[in-house]
Amino acid sequence: MPRIYLSRFAAVAFVGSVCLAVPGVLAAEDAARPDGPERAFTADDLFKLDGATDPEISPDGSKIAYVRSSADIMTDKIVPSIWLVDVASGAQRPLVTGPGAHFSPVWSPDGKRLAYVSSDGTGSPQLYVLWLDSGAKVKVTELPDSPGNLAWSPDGKQVAYTMRVPGEPMKLGSQPAGRPEGAKWAKPLQIIDRVTYRFDGAGYLPAGFDHIFVVSAEGGAPRQVTFGNFDDGGPLSWSPDGRRIVFSANRHADWERDINNSEVYNVDVASGAITALTSRQGPDAAPRLSPDGKHIAYVGFDDVNRSYENNDLYVMNADGSGSRLLTAKLDRSIDALEWAGNNAIYVRYDDRGGTRVARVALDGSMKTVVEGLTAGAHFDRPYTGGAFSVSNGGRIAYTEGTTSEPADLWVSAGSSGKRLTNLNGTWIGAKAMAPVRKLPVTAPDGRAIDAWLVTPPGLKPGQKAPLILEIHGGPNAAYGPTFSTDYQLYAAHGYAVLYTNPRGSTSYGEEFANLIDRAYPGTDYDDLMAAVDAAIADGVADPENLFVTGGSGGGVLTSWIVGKTHRFKAAATQKPVINWISEALTMDATPFTSRYWFDKKPWEDPMAYWKRSPLSLVGNVKTPTLVVVGSEDYRTPDSESEQYYAALQIRGVPTAMVKVPDASHGGIAARPSQSAAKASAILAWFDKYRTDGKADDVAPRVSD
């Protein structure tokens, strides 16, 4: 990627062979008053944002190591570093910083050392151990690939981790034998024989499998513990005597096609003997042994091929017997778990667009202990999320933010929480951030739909603004009242933003999420239109200047919407699925779509796929529609976007295609300059079709 300095620049979108400069969001900066600092949120501000992630509290609860994610303007990347906070005083200091990336801190059982993964930017990340009292550190490994899922042995003498073990790809034929010395021949053939041969964010997968290793915490040669043509995953959990490690994997014969059928296993560290502890059809994952080694907590569900299932919390005896469901009364999905002592499991789950931590006793009783968790990275859109860890005594470290700033580090303190960091406080408080408020919405069938309205800073009571309906992906995912750079940039440019959790969204229970099972897109469209009507009735949204965008599942719905209605002045469909048949056969996890979202394979019932494909409605489209996609998107491949762009061009509908170079599906906004440029291109497209005569204006003037 070229180095880009964000100072009074115009974003650039390549359409065909024409380079179009688009003014977009940076007009706010150009309009800065000469007598004071810029108060509007601008694209340059994306390089100022810091967020707290991966909080790891020490066993005694006195200290917290966390990962601080910061943008580096010179490399145009988000770079992680590790910091340490004293809980009592709130004092913090950098622990592992400098060139490269530093992440995955894990405390030793005695709380005196920290294992972590670090890279200087020149090679594969390696495993390190740091002594807290002296600051001494040792590079424990020299590995060909990055280690993951770090776990200390109970005696603190070893660290277990997972790593890819290179394999030999299938070989078919060969090049001619008579290659002259110095000849420049073409690259050898690429032979692919895996069901999943590429994955979003990882690209084309090299031959090999992930396995478990152990290494001395003081350095030395690592030893491989598991083997075979399977991927073994974490988290890794040691037995108290250090003889066994519990993990999850899909080691069934047809694992490549039966992708959701993982089990909980334990492996004898000395012999490598593996024992399956679960056996049902469906995923059993995230196993953790209790400190006394008597019980294993894990999550999973019975797989009946529905598009959505809650992850339930289970506990069983260490030998796999006596499994029982602990969250039968909780109609929510468990996303993470940790033991605190031998009688309580702390879990993270989403509820109605928010994220919570609850304490679950072994009798199934449950108490919420922390609310308001938010994610501290990937700031472009307001997805639910967040991270936590718990000390031996039940003190919780977690990440929490607001609609105006990303997550900081917090710690539980009685019935409330204590904020330990203020990572963006020196500058973001001087910015005029867009306010966000809840908007009541009722669907045509009477269901309440959660929605939020973002308004331009300085918008006066009774003043209307052009409205952008922004739709989340998934579709089984959820938004919440958290920070979003896209929304702040849109609002700073003078647009109101409406975002919702229509039916199909998570955090409202299985029944609500499965209202779109085998029916997506469908009546979720009605929820979205009801939300737009509510924003108009609220008095903020200008009904003559409505716009729509969304990514992934939101891109599907954007393309579906413009095929169903002409009420929007312009649209921007981002990384959409346009044709379910082609998506099912070209996405990274190809067994997924035809099993969980349809009843039959594409060749068995092609019309079922076609009826739910936005391409089937392209003959109705009149709305000028921008198509946006990453050039290395393997989840909803760029060929989906190209199909839609071609269809719109053939029909003569105003369109353009923006490709984000080198960007995956999940990483389309990972680099700050590309995130800003993408938002700028969308705003420029919408500005072309505004009819309120204010396309060249910025947000209402913000007074000091």
Side-chain angles (χ1 to χ4, degrees):
M1 286 296 297
R3 183 177 294 169
I4 299 176
Y5 297 92
L6 287 183
S7 178
R8 298 181 182 272
F9 75 101
V12 175
F14 288 94
V15 184
S17 60
V18 181
C19 179
L20 302 177
V22 290
V25 75
L26 296 184
E29 186 176 0
D30 294 331
R33 297 186 304 278
D35 58 341
E38 174 59 70
R39 295 201 63 219
F41 188 82
T42 71
D44 295 270
D45 293 329
L46 271 65
F47 281 104
K48 301 175 184 176
L49 293 167
D50 280 3
T53 65
D54 198 9
E56 293 293 323
I57 195 165
S58 61
D60 65 0
S62 65
K63 298 178 288 294
I64 302 170
Y66 77 97
V67 176
R68 182 169 178 169
S69 294
S70 307
D72 180 2
I73 198 169
M74 301 305 292
T75 62
D76 192 19
K77 292 181 179 179
I78 303 298
V79 294
S81 57
I82 301 174
W83 291 63
L84 187 70
V85 180
D86 179 77
V87 172
S89 67
Q92 71 165 318
R93 61 186 175 93
L95 206 58
V96 187
T97 60
H102 319 285
F103 51 96
S104 299
V106 182
W107 289 97
S108 63
D110 61 7
K112 295 181 179 180
R113 290 167 294 166
L114 200 70
Y116 62 95
V117 178
S118 186
S119 168
D120 60 7
T122 61
S124 296
Q126 301 297 322
L127 170 61
Y128 286 76
V129 171
L130 172 71
W131 278 255
L132 270 296
D133 56 354
S134 67
K137 64 180 179 180
V138 62
K139 187 177 185 180
V140 174
T141 60
E142 288 285 356
L143 303 173
D145 211 338
S146 177
N149 298 300
L150 309 185
W152 287 86
S153 63
D155 61 8
K157 294 181 179 180
Q158 299 181 89
V159 179
Y161 61 89
T162 58
M163 189 189 71
R164 185 182 65 87
V165 177
E168 286 293 326
M170 175 183 283
K171 294 181 179 179
L172 293 173
S174 63
Q175 292 180 319
R179 177 177 178 175
E181 183 177 354
K184 296 181 179 180
W185 285 17
K187 293 180 180 179
L189 301 180
Q190 183 181 18
I191 309 298
I192 295 171
D193 66 338
R194 296 276 294 269
V195 175
T196 298
Y197 57 91
R198 60 183 184 178
F199 206 80
D200 190 69
Y204 281 77
L205 301 177
F209 298 92
D210 291 343
H211 288 302
I212 298 171
F213 292 76
V214 294
V215 66
S216 168
E218 297 178 354
R223 181 169 63 86
Q224 186 173 341
V225 176
T226 62
F227 299 83
N229 294 337
F230 310 99
D231 287 318
D232 299 319
L236 307 179
S237 188
W238 290 78
S239 62
D241 60 10
R243 294 180 179 179
R244 294 174 292 117
I245 295 175
V246 173
F247 66 100
S248 66
N250 186 342
R251 286 178 156 255
H252 296 284
D254 198 30
W255 66 272
E256 285 198 277
R257 294 171 183 83
D258 194 9
I259 58 177
N260 259 354
N261 197 21
S262 61
E263 308 293 354
V264 175
Y265 296 89
N266 72 38
V267 58
D268 185 280
V269 175
S271 69
I274 294 175
T275 303
L277 302 178
T278 58
S279 60
R280 67 166 162 194
Q281 177 64 42
D284 292 312
R288 290 190 181 272
L289 273 158
S290 58
D292 62 10
K294 294 181 179 180
H295 296 99
I296 299 173
Y298 64 102
V299 298
F301 58 82
D302 294 313
D303 189 358
V304 294
N305 295 349
R306 290 199 301 179
S307 60
Y308 176 80
E309 302 287 345
N310 282 337
N311 254 333
D312 291 313
L313 175 67
Y314 294 82
V315 67
M316 62 183 172
N317 297 325
D319 63 0
S321 64
S323 176
R324 63 187 190 275
L325 173 63
L326 294 184
T327 51
K329 297 180 180 179
L330 177 70
D331 186 18
R332 298 292 186 267
S333 188
I334 304 301
D335 297 321
L337 65 94
E338 286 195 22
W339 287 90
N342 296 309
N343 299 306
I345 305 161
Y346 286 70
V347 300
R348 189 190 81 218
Y349 67 96
D350 286 350
D351 180 55
R352 304 192 67 82
T355 303
R356 299 180 174 188
V357 174
R359 182 186 185 276
V360 182
L362 296 187
D363 63 2
S365 59
M366 186 172 180
K367 179 183 179 181
T368 299
V369 291
V370 169
E371 297 185 49
L373 274 71
T374 55
H378 309 296
F379 307 134
D380 59 318
R381 291 183 290 162
Y383 282 107
T384 56
F388 82 100
S389 66
V390 59
S391 71
N392 293 340
R395 176 176 281 175
I396 303 165
Y398 60 100
T399 57
E400 180 180 338
T402 68
T403 59
S404 297
E405 58 186 306
D408 275 290
L409 179 66
W410 289 65
V411 67
S412 60
S415 59
S416 60
K418 175 185 177 183
R419 184 175 180 173
L420 295 176
T421 66
N422 189 14
L423 300 182
N424 299 285
T426 58
W427 68 275
I428 210 166
K431 289 284 182 175
M433 306 301 287
V436 181
R437 59 181 169 88
K438 195 81 172 284
L439 180 71
V441 175
T442 302
D445 65 355
R447 290 179 184 269
I449 302 297
D450 275 351
W452 294 267
L453 191 62
V454 187
T455 52
L459 190 74
K460 296 180 175 60
Q463 185 179 2
K464 296 184 184 300
L467 179 78
I468 297 174
L469 169 64
E470 204 282 331
I471 310 167
H472 73 61
N476 299 131
Y479 277 162
T482 60
F483 182 72
S484 163
T485 55
D486 277 2
Y487 296 176
Q488 291 295 334
L489 291 173
Y490 295 161
H493 198 70
Y495 288 81
V497 184
L498 171 67
Y499 66 103
T500 75
N501 283 335
R503 65 194 63 203
S505 300
T506 55
S507 78
Y508 301 89
E510 282 188 351
E511 187 265 346
F512 188 82
N514 277 309
L515 289 172
I516 62 169
D517 182 39
R518 269 64 173 177
Y520 164 75
T523 49
D524 40 0
Y525 166 86
D526 300 320
D527 297 345
L528 295 168
M529 294 305 101
V532 172
D533 293 339
I536 294 170
D538 180 80
V540 168
D542 178 356
E544 301 303 318
N545 282 281
L546 303 177
F547 302 86
V548 59
T549 188
S552 192
V556 174
L557 282 163
T558 298
S559 306
W560 189 259
I561 285 169
V562 296
K564 301 275 286 185
T565 180
H566 307 313
R567 72 187 302 189
F568 294 93
K569 292 296 183 182
T573 178
Q574 304 179 55
K575 50 187 181 181
V577 175
I578 296 302
N579 181 340
W580 285 112
I581 292 178
S582 56
E583 185 271 351
L585 300 176
T586 60
M587 72 174 295
D588 48 4
T590 51
F592 179 83
T593 297
S594 59
R595 177 169 178 172
Y596 293 102
W597 286 359
F598 292 88
D599 291 320
K600 297 181 179 180
K601 303 296 186 287
W603 51 89
E604 295 171 341
D605 190 4
M607 288 308 298
Y609 288 73
W610 180 248
K611 289 176 182 177
R612 287 164 52 189
S613 295
L615 192 58
S616 70
L617 301 179
V618 75
N620 302 332
V621 177
K622 296 180 180 178
T623 306
T625 301
L626 185 71
V627 184
V628 183
V629 70
S631 66
E632 295 185 4
D633 189 327
Y634 297 131
R635 183 62 44 82
T636 58
D638 58 355
S639 56
E640 292 294 307
S641 294
E642 289 166 349
Q643 287 181 67
Y644 200 54
Y645 171 72
L648 294 171
Q649 285 285 23
I650 291 169
R651 286 208 58 245
V653 176
T655 186
M657 182 161 59
V658 173
K659 278 203 169 183
V660 182
D662 304 318
S664 65
H665 186 86
I668 196 170
R671 306 193 73 170
S673 74
Q674 289 184 333
S675 182
K678 180 175 72 71
S680 180
I682 291 170
L683 286 169
W685 183 257
F686 290 169
D687 282 351
K688 284 170 61 68
Y689 299 99
R690 284 177 65 167
T691 59
D692 59 355
K694 298 180 181 179
D696 295 326
D697 292 345
V698 212
R701 180 63 68 193
V702 178
S703 60
D704 289 315

